[in-house]
Protein backbone atom coordinates (compact mmCIF):
# COMPACT_ATOMS: atom_id res chain seq x y z
CA UNK A 1 0.00 0.00 0.00
CA UNK A 2 1.45 3.35 -1.15
CA UNK A 3 4.70 4.25 0.48
CA UNK A 4 4.82 0.95 2.35
CA UNK A 5 4.12 -1.08 -0.80
CA UNK A 6 4.85 -4.76 -0.35
CA UNK A 7 4.93 -4.67 3.47
CA UNK A 8 2.22 -6.88 4.91
CA UNK A 9 0.44 -6.26 8.22
CA UNK A 10 2.62 -7.51 11.08
CA UNK A 11 1.39 -10.65 12.79
CA UNK A 12 2.52 -12.41 15.93
CA UNK A 13 4.83 -15.32 15.14
CA UNK A 14 7.21 -16.44 17.88
CA UNK A 15 9.41 -18.12 15.27
CA UNK A 16 9.45 -15.12 12.91
CA UNK A 17 12.24 -12.62 12.30
CA UNK A 18 11.04 -9.86 14.64
CA UNK A 19 11.20 -7.41 11.71
CA UNK A 20 8.25 -8.40 9.58
CA UNK A 21 6.61 -10.30 12.45
CA UNK A 22 6.21 -9.75 16.17
CA UNK A 23 8.19 -12.39 18.03
CA UNK A 24 7.00 -11.28 21.47
CA UNK A 25 4.13 -8.82 21.12
CA UNK A 26 0.95 -10.84 21.07
CA UNK A 27 -1.78 -8.20 21.30
CA UNK A 28 -4.30 -10.74 22.65
CA UNK A 29 -2.11 -12.38 25.28
CA UNK A 30 -3.72 -11.86 28.67
CA UNK A 31 -1.59 -10.82 31.62
CA UNK A 32 -3.44 -10.30 34.88
CA UNK A 33 -6.84 -9.73 33.32
CA UNK A 34 -5.77 -7.34 30.58
CA UNK A 35 -4.50 -8.08 27.12
CA UNK A 36 -1.06 -6.90 26.12
CA UNK A 37 -2.70 -4.35 23.83
CA UNK A 38 -4.74 -3.03 26.76
CA UNK A 39 -1.69 -2.86 29.01
CA UNK A 40 0.68 -1.23 26.56
CA UNK A 41 -1.62 1.07 24.57
CA UNK A 42 1.02 1.72 21.90
CA UNK A 43 1.06 4.98 19.97
CA UNK A 44 3.05 6.17 16.95
CA UNK A 45 4.47 9.70 17.18
CA UNK A 46 3.56 11.65 14.03
CA UNK A 47 6.54 14.00 14.29
CA UNK A 48 9.31 11.44 14.25
CA UNK A 49 7.73 9.03 11.82
CA UNK A 50 6.40 11.44 9.24
CA UNK A 51 7.58 15.02 9.78
CA UNK A 52 11.24 14.62 10.74
CA UNK A 53 13.53 15.07 7.71
CA UNK A 54 16.56 13.21 9.12
CA UNK A 55 18.66 16.23 10.03
CA UNK A 56 21.17 16.60 12.83
CA UNK A 57 23.13 19.64 14.11
CA UNK A 58 25.70 19.13 11.34
CA UNK A 59 23.59 18.17 8.37
CA UNK A 60 20.17 18.54 6.85
CA UNK A 61 17.56 16.27 5.37
CA UNK A 62 18.48 12.70 4.56
CA UNK A 63 14.97 11.30 4.10
CA UNK A 64 13.05 11.63 0.86
CA UNK A 65 9.40 11.18 1.69
CA UNK A 66 6.85 11.75 -1.07
CA UNK A 67 4.75 13.82 1.36
CA UNK A 68 7.47 16.35 2.24
CA UNK A 69 6.21 19.81 1.26
CA UNK A 70 4.13 22.69 2.56
CA UNK A 71 0.78 22.21 0.87
CA UNK A 72 -2.46 20.68 2.10
CA UNK A 73 -2.03 17.94 -0.50
CA UNK A 74 1.29 17.03 1.08
CA UNK A 75 -0.32 17.06 4.53
CA UNK A 76 -3.08 14.70 3.38
CA UNK A 77 -0.57 12.39 1.69
CA UNK A 78 1.43 12.37 4.94
CA UNK A 79 -1.68 11.49 6.94
CA UNK A 80 -2.54 8.71 4.53
CA UNK A 81 0.98 7.26 4.83
CA UNK A 82 0.64 7.48 8.61
CA UNK A 83 -2.61 5.52 8.55
CA UNK A 84 -0.95 2.94 6.30
CA UNK A 85 1.75 2.47 8.95
CA UNK A 86 -0.84 2.27 11.75
CA UNK A 87 -2.61 -0.48 9.80
CA UNK A 88 0.62 -2.40 9.18
CA UNK A 89 1.52 -2.24 12.87
CA UNK A 90 -2.01 -2.72 14.16
CA UNK A 91 -1.27 0.32 16.36
CA UNK A 92 -4.32 1.51 18.21
CA UNK A 93 -3.10 5.06 18.86
CA UNK A 94 -1.14 8.02 17.50
CA UNK A 95 0.08 11.35 18.92
CA UNK A 96 0.55 14.66 17.09
CA UNK A 97 1.55 18.32 17.22
CA UNK A 98 -0.27 20.88 15.08
CA UNK A 99 2.93 21.47 13.10
CA UNK A 100 3.19 17.75 12.26
CA UNK A 101 -0.17 17.47 10.61
CA UNK A 102 -0.82 20.81 8.86
CA UNK A 103 1.20 23.25 6.80
CA UNK A 104 1.90 26.60 8.47
CA UNK A 105 -0.31 29.34 6.99
CA UNK A 106 0.59 32.94 6.15
CA UNK A 107 -1.09 34.06 9.36
CA UNK A 108 -2.66 32.48 12.41
CA UNK A 109 -6.15 32.28 10.92
CA UNK A 110 -4.85 30.31 7.94
CA UNK A 111 -2.77 27.99 10.15
CA UNK A 112 -5.87 27.32 12.23
CA UNK A 113 -8.00 26.69 9.16
CA UNK A 114 -5.35 24.27 7.84
CA UNK A 115 -5.33 22.49 11.20
CA UNK A 116 -9.11 22.19 11.25
CA UNK A 117 -9.16 20.79 7.71
CA UNK A 118 -6.52 18.22 8.62
CA UNK A 119 -8.36 17.29 11.82
CA UNK A 120 -11.39 16.61 9.62
CA UNK A 121 -9.33 14.45 7.28
CA UNK A 122 -7.70 12.55 10.14
CA UNK A 123 -11.04 12.15 11.91
CA UNK A 124 -12.40 10.51 8.77
CA UNK A 125 -9.45 8.12 8.57
CA UNK A 126 -9.92 7.27 12.27
CA UNK A 127 -13.53 6.35 11.67
CA UNK A 128 -12.59 4.10 8.76
CA UNK A 129 -9.74 2.36 10.56
CA UNK A 130 -10.53 2.41 14.28
CA UNK A 131 -7.16 3.96 15.11
CA UNK A 132 -7.42 6.37 18.03
CA UNK A 133 -5.72 9.51 19.28
CA UNK A 134 -3.73 9.05 22.49
CA UNK A 135 -2.86 12.72 22.71
CA UNK A 136 -2.45 15.96 20.86
CA UNK A 137 -0.14 18.85 21.64
CA UNK A 138 0.97 22.22 20.30
CA UNK A 139 4.39 22.79 18.81
CA UNK A 140 5.42 25.91 20.72
CA UNK A 141 9.13 25.49 20.10
CA UNK A 142 10.09 25.15 16.41
CA UNK A 143 9.01 28.46 14.88
CA UNK A 144 11.27 31.47 15.50
CA UNK A 145 8.38 33.35 17.16
CA UNK A 146 8.83 30.97 20.12
CA UNK A 147 12.61 31.30 20.39
CA UNK A 148 12.36 33.07 23.77
CA UNK A 149 9.57 30.84 25.04
CA UNK A 150 5.82 30.55 24.56
CA UNK A 151 3.89 31.17 27.80
CA UNK A 152 7.10 32.38 29.45
CA UNK A 153 8.03 34.80 26.66
CA UNK A 154 8.97 38.37 27.63
CA UNK A 155 6.65 39.52 24.81
CA UNK A 156 2.93 39.32 25.72
CA UNK A 157 2.06 38.94 22.03
CA UNK A 158 3.81 35.57 22.06
CA UNK A 159 1.82 34.56 25.15
CA UNK A 160 -1.36 35.42 23.23
CA UNK A 161 -0.17 33.50 20.14
CA UNK A 162 0.66 30.50 22.31
CA UNK A 163 -2.80 30.70 23.92
CA UNK A 164 -4.47 30.78 20.50
CA UNK A 165 -2.35 27.83 19.35
CA UNK A 166 -3.07 25.70 22.41
CA UNK A 167 -6.77 26.53 22.22
CA UNK A 168 -6.85 25.30 18.60
CA UNK A 169 -4.92 22.15 19.55
CA UNK A 170 -7.22 21.36 22.48
CA UNK A 171 -10.19 21.80 20.14
CA UNK A 172 -8.54 19.44 17.64
CA UNK A 173 -7.66 16.86 20.30
CA UNK A 174 -11.21 17.01 21.65
CA UNK A 175 -12.68 16.57 18.14
CA UNK A 176 -10.51 13.48 17.61
CA UNK A 177 -11.55 12.01 20.95
CA UNK A 178 -7.97 12.30 22.25
CA UNK A 179 -7.56 10.66 25.64
CA UNK A 180 -4.95 13.17 26.86
CA UNK A 181 -3.60 16.59 26.04
CA UNK A 182 0.16 17.15 26.50
CA UNK A 183 2.16 20.27 27.22
CA UNK A 184 5.87 20.01 26.63
CA UNK A 185 7.56 23.35 27.27
CA UNK A 186 10.64 22.95 25.12
CA UNK A 187 11.34 26.69 25.15
CA UNK A 188 9.80 27.38 28.55
CA UNK A 189 13.11 28.06 30.24
CA UNK A 190 16.08 30.25 29.55
CA UNK A 191 19.33 30.46 27.66
CA UNK A 192 20.94 32.92 30.07
CA UNK A 193 19.89 34.22 33.46
CA UNK A 194 21.41 37.57 32.48
CA UNK A 195 18.29 38.47 30.47
CA UNK A 196 15.71 36.41 32.36
CA UNK A 197 13.15 37.37 35.02
CA UNK A 198 12.78 33.88 36.40
CA UNK A 199 10.03 34.73 38.90
CA UNK A 200 7.87 36.42 36.29
CA UNK A 201 8.33 33.66 33.72
CA UNK A 202 7.40 30.97 36.22
CA UNK A 203 4.25 32.87 37.14
CA UNK A 204 3.34 33.29 33.47
CA UNK A 205 3.72 29.54 33.01
CA UNK A 206 1.50 28.85 36.03
CA UNK A 207 -1.19 31.24 34.83
CA UNK A 208 -1.05 29.79 31.32
CA UNK A 209 -1.50 26.25 32.60
CA UNK A 210 -4.49 27.31 34.72
CA UNK A 211 -6.05 28.92 31.64
CA UNK A 212 -5.45 25.73 29.66
CA UNK A 213 -7.09 23.57 32.33
CA UNK A 214 -10.08 25.93 32.59
CA UNK A 215 -10.58 25.99 28.83
CA UNK A 216 -10.26 22.23 28.40
CA UNK A 217 -12.88 21.64 31.10
CA UNK A 218 -15.14 24.38 29.75
CA UNK A 219 -15.32 22.74 26.32
CA UNK A 220 -15.98 19.33 27.90
CA UNK A 221 -12.58 17.75 27.25
CA UNK A 222 -12.48 15.06 29.91
CA UNK A 223 -9.12 13.56 28.95
CA UNK A 224 -6.05 13.95 31.14
CA UNK A 225 -3.90 17.04 30.87
CA UNK A 226 -0.24 16.09 31.03
CA UNK A 227 3.03 17.97 31.46
CA UNK A 228 6.10 16.32 30.00
CA UNK A 229 9.14 17.07 32.16
CA UNK A 230 12.56 17.65 30.60
CA UNK A 231 15.53 19.38 32.24
CA UNK A 232 17.01 21.19 29.28
CA UNK A 233 17.55 20.99 25.53
CA UNK A 234 16.71 23.03 23.55
CA UNK A 235 16.90 25.51 26.44
CA UNK A 236 19.82 25.59 28.84
CA UNK A 237 17.30 25.17 31.65
CA UNK A 238 13.66 24.17 31.36
CA UNK A 239 11.20 25.02 34.15
CA UNK A 240 9.57 21.56 33.93
CA UNK A 241 12.89 19.98 34.89
CA UNK A 242 11.73 16.63 36.24
CA UNK A 243 8.78 15.02 38.01
CA UNK A 244 9.66 16.48 41.40
CA UNK A 245 9.99 19.99 39.99
CA UNK A 246 6.72 19.70 38.06
CA UNK A 247 4.95 18.52 41.22
CA UNK A 248 6.21 21.56 43.15
CA UNK A 249 5.06 23.79 40.30
CA UNK A 250 1.60 22.19 40.20
CA UNK A 251 1.22 22.53 43.99
CA UNK A 252 2.25 26.14 43.77
CA UNK A 253 -0.52 26.92 41.29
CA UNK A 254 -3.12 24.59 42.84
CA UNK A 255 -3.15 22.27 39.81
CA UNK A 256 -1.90 19.01 41.32
CA UNK A 257 -5.33 17.40 41.09
CA UNK A 258 -5.85 18.57 37.50
CA UNK A 259 -2.59 17.81 35.74
CA UNK A 260 -0.45 14.67 35.57
CA UNK A 261 2.86 13.87 33.91
CA UNK A 262 3.94 12.23 30.69
CA UNK A 263 7.30 10.72 31.62
CA UNK A 264 9.89 10.21 28.88
CA UNK A 265 12.81 7.80 29.22
CA UNK A 266 15.36 10.07 27.54
CA UNK A 267 14.27 13.10 29.55
CA UNK A 268 14.63 11.16 32.80
CA UNK A 269 18.21 10.30 31.86
CA UNK A 270 19.01 13.91 30.95
CA UNK A 271 17.70 14.95 34.37
CA UNK A 272 20.17 12.58 36.02
CA UNK A 273 17.49 10.07 36.98
CA UNK A 274 16.42 6.67 35.74
CA UNK A 275 13.13 6.17 33.91
CA UNK A 276 11.87 3.98 36.73
CA UNK A 277 12.75 6.64 39.30
CA UNK A 278 10.63 9.22 37.51
CA UNK A 279 7.76 6.76 37.15
CA UNK A 280 7.92 5.63 40.78
CA UNK A 281 7.96 9.24 41.97
CA UNK A 282 5.07 10.26 39.71
CA UNK A 283 3.08 7.36 41.07
CA UNK A 284 3.99 8.17 44.68
CA UNK A 285 2.85 11.76 44.14
CA UNK A 286 -0.37 10.72 42.42
CA UNK A 287 0.49 12.37 39.11
CA UNK A 288 1.46 9.42 36.91
CA UNK A 289 -0.23 9.71 33.52
CA UNK A 290 1.53 8.36 30.45
CA UNK A 291 4.93 7.52 29.01
CA UNK A 292 7.06 8.53 26.06
CA UNK A 293 9.07 5.40 25.39
CA UNK A 294 12.48 5.77 23.82
CA UNK A 295 16.13 5.65 24.81
CA UNK A 296 19.07 8.01 24.70
CA UNK A 297 22.54 7.16 23.58
CA UNK A 298 24.30 7.04 26.93
CA UNK A 299 27.56 8.38 25.55
CA UNK A 300 26.37 11.36 23.53
CA UNK A 301 24.57 13.32 26.25
CA UNK A 302 21.82 14.27 23.79
CA UNK A 303 18.14 13.52 23.70
CA UNK A 304 18.72 11.10 20.83
CA UNK A 305 15.17 9.70 20.87
CA UNK A 306 16.10 6.19 19.78
CA UNK A 307 13.71 3.28 19.81
CA UNK A 308 14.02 1.25 23.04
CA UNK A 309 16.06 -1.94 22.87
CA UNK A 310 16.99 -2.83 26.44
CA UNK A 311 14.57 -5.36 27.92
CA UNK A 312 15.91 -5.06 31.51
CA UNK A 313 15.46 -1.27 31.46
CA UNK A 314 12.01 -1.45 29.92
CA UNK A 315 11.01 -4.18 32.41
CA UNK A 316 11.86 -1.94 35.36
CA UNK A 317 9.86 0.90 33.80
CA UNK A 318 6.77 -1.26 33.26
CA UNK A 319 7.21 -2.66 36.75
CA UNK A 320 6.58 0.87 38.04
CA UNK A 321 3.71 1.37 35.59
CA UNK A 322 2.08 -1.84 36.85
CA UNK A 323 2.74 -0.96 40.49
CA UNK A 324 0.96 2.33 39.75
CA UNK A 325 -2.05 0.30 38.61
CA UNK A 326 -1.27 0.46 34.89
CA UNK A 327 -2.40 3.05 32.39
CA UNK A 328 -5.83 4.63 32.54
CA UNK A 329 -5.94 7.30 29.83
CA UNK A 330 -2.17 7.06 29.23
CA UNK A 331 -0.19 4.72 27.04
CA UNK A 332 3.17 3.94 25.47
CA UNK A 333 3.98 6.61 22.90
CA UNK A 334 7.08 5.88 20.84
CA UNK A 335 8.67 9.30 20.98
CA UNK A 336 11.50 7.79 18.96
CA UNK A 337 13.01 8.38 15.58
CA UNK A 338 15.06 6.44 13.11
CA UNK A 339 18.77 7.03 12.73
CA UNK A 340 19.26 9.32 9.76
CA UNK A 341 20.83 6.59 7.63
CA UNK A 342 17.72 4.39 7.99
CA UNK A 343 16.27 5.42 4.67
CA UNK A 344 13.98 2.58 3.67
CA UNK A 345 10.23 2.29 4.34
CA UNK A 346 10.85 -1.05 6.08
CA UNK A 347 13.18 0.73 8.55
CA UNK A 348 10.24 2.69 9.94
CA UNK A 349 8.20 -0.48 10.27
CA UNK A 350 11.04 -2.53 11.77
CA UNK A 351 11.82 0.21 14.31
CA UNK A 352 8.30 0.03 15.70
CA UNK A 353 8.07 -3.76 15.50
CA UNK A 354 11.36 -4.15 17.38
CA UNK A 355 10.32 -1.59 19.98
CA UNK A 356 6.93 -3.22 20.49
CA UNK A 357 8.64 -6.57 20.99
CA UNK A 358 11.04 -5.07 23.53
CA UNK A 359 8.09 -3.53 25.39
CA UNK A 360 6.20 -6.83 25.28
CA UNK A 361 9.17 -8.64 26.83
CA UNK A 362 9.56 -5.90 29.42
CA UNK A 363 5.88 -5.98 30.29
CA UNK A 364 5.83 -9.76 30.56
CA UNK A 365 8.84 -9.69 32.89
CA UNK A 366 7.34 -6.87 34.93
CA UNK A 367 4.03 -8.65 35.25
CA UNK A 368 5.72 -11.87 36.36
CA UNK A 369 7.85 -10.03 38.94
CA UNK A 370 4.80 -8.36 40.36
CA UNK A 371 2.65 -11.47 40.26
CA UNK A 372 5.28 -13.63 41.98
CA UNK A 373 5.52 -10.88 44.56
CA UNK A 374 9.06 -11.70 45.69
CA UNK A 375 10.28 -8.13 45.37
CA UNK A 376 7.16 -6.67 46.97
CA UNK A 377 7.31 -9.15 49.86
CA UNK A 378 10.90 -8.19 50.53
CA UNK A 379 10.06 -4.51 50.25
CA UNK A 380 7.19 -4.91 52.71
CA UNK A 381 9.39 -6.88 55.09
CA UNK A 382 11.96 -4.08 55.02
CA UNK A 383 9.38 -1.63 56.37
CA UNK A 384 7.56 -4.11 58.63
CA UNK A 385 8.71 -2.33 61.80
CA UNK A 386 6.36 0.53 60.88
CA UNK A 387 3.36 -1.77 61.21
CA UNK A 388 3.80 -1.81 64.98
CA UNK A 389 1.50 0.51 66.90
CA UNK A 390 4.25 2.38 68.72
CA UNK A 391 6.04 3.08 65.45
CA UNK A 392 2.90 4.24 63.69
CA UNK A 393 1.96 6.46 66.68
CA UNK A 394 5.37 8.09 66.49
CA UNK A 395 4.45 9.64 63.14
CA UNK A 396 1.55 11.51 64.68
CA UNK A 397 3.44 12.40 67.86
CA UNK A 398 6.09 14.95 68.72
CA UNK A 399 9.85 14.94 68.45
CA UNK A 400 10.11 14.71 72.28
CA UNK A 401 7.83 11.65 72.37
CA UNK A 402 9.93 9.93 69.74
CA UNK A 403 13.07 10.83 71.66
CA UNK A 404 11.64 9.59 74.95
CA UNK A 405 11.14 6.10 73.55
CA UNK A 406 14.83 5.60 72.99
CA UNK A 407 15.80 5.48 76.65
CA UNK A 408 12.48 4.21 77.99
CA UNK A 409 12.54 1.19 75.67
CA UNK A 410 16.30 0.84 75.45
CA UNK A 411 16.18 1.25 71.69
CA UNK A 412 19.39 0.31 69.94
CA UNK A 413 18.90 0.04 66.14
CA UNK A 414 20.29 -3.11 64.53
CA UNK A 415 21.47 -2.41 60.96
CA UNK A 416 20.12 -4.91 58.43
CA UNK A 417 21.18 -5.73 54.93
CA UNK A 418 19.52 -3.80 52.10
CA UNK A 419 20.03 -6.99 50.03
CA UNK A 420 20.57 -5.07 46.80
CA UNK A 421 22.63 -7.73 45.04
CA UNK A 422 20.11 -10.41 45.97
CA UNK A 423 17.28 -8.23 44.65
CA UNK A 424 19.16 -7.63 41.41
CA UNK A 425 19.66 -11.38 41.05
CA UNK A 426 15.92 -11.86 41.52
CA UNK A 427 15.18 -9.33 38.75
CA UNK A 428 17.66 -11.16 36.54
CA UNK A 429 15.53 -14.29 36.80
CA UNK A 430 12.75 -12.50 34.90
CA UNK A 431 14.52 -10.40 32.28
C1 LIG B 1 10.88 16.59 23.01
C2 LIG B 1 9.69 15.75 23.23
C3 LIG B 1 8.45 16.18 22.51
C4 LIG B 1 7.20 15.97 23.30
C5 LIG B 1 5.97 16.54 22.65
O1 LIG B 1 12.00 16.17 23.69
O2 LIG B 1 9.74 14.77 23.91
O3 LIG B 1 8.40 15.49 21.31
O4 LIG B 1 6.98 14.62 23.53
O5 LIG B 1 6.09 17.88 22.35
CO1 LIG C 1 8.34 13.29 24.37
Amino acid sequence: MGYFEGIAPIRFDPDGDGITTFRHYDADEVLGGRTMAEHLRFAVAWWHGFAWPGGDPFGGQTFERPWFGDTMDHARAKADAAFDLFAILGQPYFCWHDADIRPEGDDFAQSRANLEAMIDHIGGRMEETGTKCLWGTANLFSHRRFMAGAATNPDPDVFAYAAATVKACIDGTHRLGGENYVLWGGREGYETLLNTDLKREREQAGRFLSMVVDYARKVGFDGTILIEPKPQEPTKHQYDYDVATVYGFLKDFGLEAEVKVNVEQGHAILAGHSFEHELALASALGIFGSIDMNRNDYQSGWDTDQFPNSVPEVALAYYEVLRAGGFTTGGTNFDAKLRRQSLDPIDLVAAHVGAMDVCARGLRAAHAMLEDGVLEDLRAERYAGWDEDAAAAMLSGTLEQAAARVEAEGIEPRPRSGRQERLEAIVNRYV
Side-chain angles (χ1 to χ4, degrees):
M1 24 165 149
Y3 181 70
F4 297 100
E5 187 74 53
I7 303 176
I10 310 296
R11 307 266 173 248
F12 173 60
D13 174 4
D15 301 319
D17 61 7
I19 295 170
T20 56
T21 57
F22 296 121
R23 280 179 69 87
H24 304 279
Y25 176 61
D26 176 3
D28 301 324
E29 178 180 331
V30 176
L31 297 168
R34 280 196 203 187
T35 64
M36 270 206 180
E38 287 163 350
H39 273 294
L40 292 164
R41 296 166 57 85
F42 286 128
V44 173
W46 208 284
W47 51 104
H48 288 314
F50 304 101
W52 183 59
D56 72 8
F58 296 93
Q61 175 174 348
T62 59
F63 297 153
E64 290 170 338
R65 313 288 199 206
W67 57 82
F68 279 173
D70 288 336
T71 67
M72 285 297 286
D73 281 344
H74 286 108
R76 277 186 288 267
K78 185 179 359 179
D80 293 342
F83 277 87
D84 286 347
L85 181 69
F86 306 156
I88 288 170
L89 296 172
Q91 291 262 16
Y93 290 99
F94 63 90
C95 302
W96 55 275
H97 302 79
D98 50 350
D100 308 328
I101 63 174
R102 58 101 180 102
E104 179 95 17
D106 293 335
D107 57 17
F108 181 80
Q110 198 186 357
S111 292
R112 183 176 53 74
N114 288 350
L115 180 67
E116 284 170 7
M118 283 311 302
I119 292 284
D120 271 347
H121 181 77
I122 291 170
R125 301 302 321 265
M126 290 168 69
E127 265 173 45
E128 280 161 39
T129 59
T131 300
K132 292 178 280 185
C133 171
L134 186 65
W135 48 262
T137 187
N139 181 328
L140 303 177
F141 43 88
S142 293
H143 195 281
R144 66 192 290 276
R145 73 175 69 89
F146 298 121
M147 69 183 182
T152 61
N153 203 289
D155 179 353
D157 283 354
V158 181
F159 184 100
Y161 206 101
T165 306
V166 169
K167 177 178 175 296
C169 289
I170 291 174
D171 290 344
T173 305
H174 191 34
R175 280 256 325 273
L176 297 181
E179 299 187 27
N180 309 268
Y181 183 81
V182 166
L183 295 114
W184 173 60
R187 305 262 175 210
E188 310 292 26
Y190 61 78
E191 297 299 334
T192 172
L193 267 181
L194 295 175
N195 66 11
T196 302
D197 184 339
L198 210 145
K199 180 172 162 38
R200 180 192 285 271
E201 291 200 3
R202 207 173 157 277
E203 275 161 15
Q204 282 175 214
R207 190 60 210 128
F208 190 86
L209 186 58
S210 302
M211 290 158 70
V212 166
V213 169
D214 288 348
Y215 179 72
R217 299 309 175 220
K218 195 185 303 171
V219 295
F221 176 73
D222 59 4
T224 310
I225 296 174
L226 301 168
I227 288 192
E228 184 172 322
K230 185 174 180 180
Q232 72 282 114
E233 198 212 51
T235 54
K236 172 177 169 53
H237 175 84
Q238 191 181 310
Y239 298 128
D240 300 333
Y241 197 94
D242 60 3
V243 168
T245 310
V246 167
Y247 186 71
F249 175 84
L250 294 177
K251 283 289 253 192
D252 210 3
F253 294 95
L255 294 167
E256 72 276 15
E258 296 286 350
V259 179
K260 294 185 162 42
V261 283
N262 180 40
V263 181
E264 176 164 328
Q265 204 274 2
H267 298 180
I269 301 300
L270 286 177
H273 303 305
S274 65
F275 195 15
E276 61 270 23
H277 163 90
E278 288 289 80
L279 292 167
L281 185 60
S283 163
L285 297 172
I287 56 168
F288 167 64
S290 196
I291 63 176
D292 269 11
M293 178 60 88
N294 57 21
R295 81 178 201 272
N296 278 2
D297 182 294
Y298 290 125
Q299 279 76 52
S300 79
W302 277 83
D303 185 13
T304 55
D305 281 341
Q306 293 171 241
F307 284 86
N309 75 347
S310 164
V311 174
E313 278 184 5
V314 167
L316 292 180
Y318 281 118
Y319 190 68
E320 296 304 332
V321 170
L322 293 180
R323 285 185 68 218
F327 294 122
T328 49
T329 62
T332 303
N333 171 46
F334 290 115
D335 193 352
K337 60 182 182 247
L338 294 169
R339 297 307 85 193
R340 65 198 293 267
Q341 299 176 53
S342 302
L343 301 179
D344 301 337
I346 185 68
D347 291 324
L348 195 52
V349 175
H352 285 91
V353 171
M356 290 162 77
D357 265 349
V358 167
C359 290
R361 291 179 66 189
L363 174 74
R364 216 180 264 132
H367 174 72
M369 285 195 286
L370 202 58
E371 181 127 297
D372 290 356
V374 189
L375 293 171
E376 292 317 305
D377 289 349
L378 292 171
R379 193 197 308 265
E381 193 188 306
R382 188 158 183 250
Y383 292 90
W386 286 100
D387 294 341
E388 283 164 30
D389 291 345
M394 198 163 54
L395 291 182
S396 50
T398 64
L399 192 72
E400 306 92 282
Q401 285 166 339
R405 287 186 61 214
V406 175
E407 290 182 35
E409 297 175 29
I411 287 177
E412 188 57 56
R414 274 186 307 109
R416 295 189 315 162
S417 173
R419 302 189 275 213
Q420 181 168 340
E421 296 77 7
R422 279 177 277 170
L423 297 169
E424 287 168 354
I426 291 169
V427 170
N428 200 32
R429 296 210 294 257
Y430 298 88
V431 298

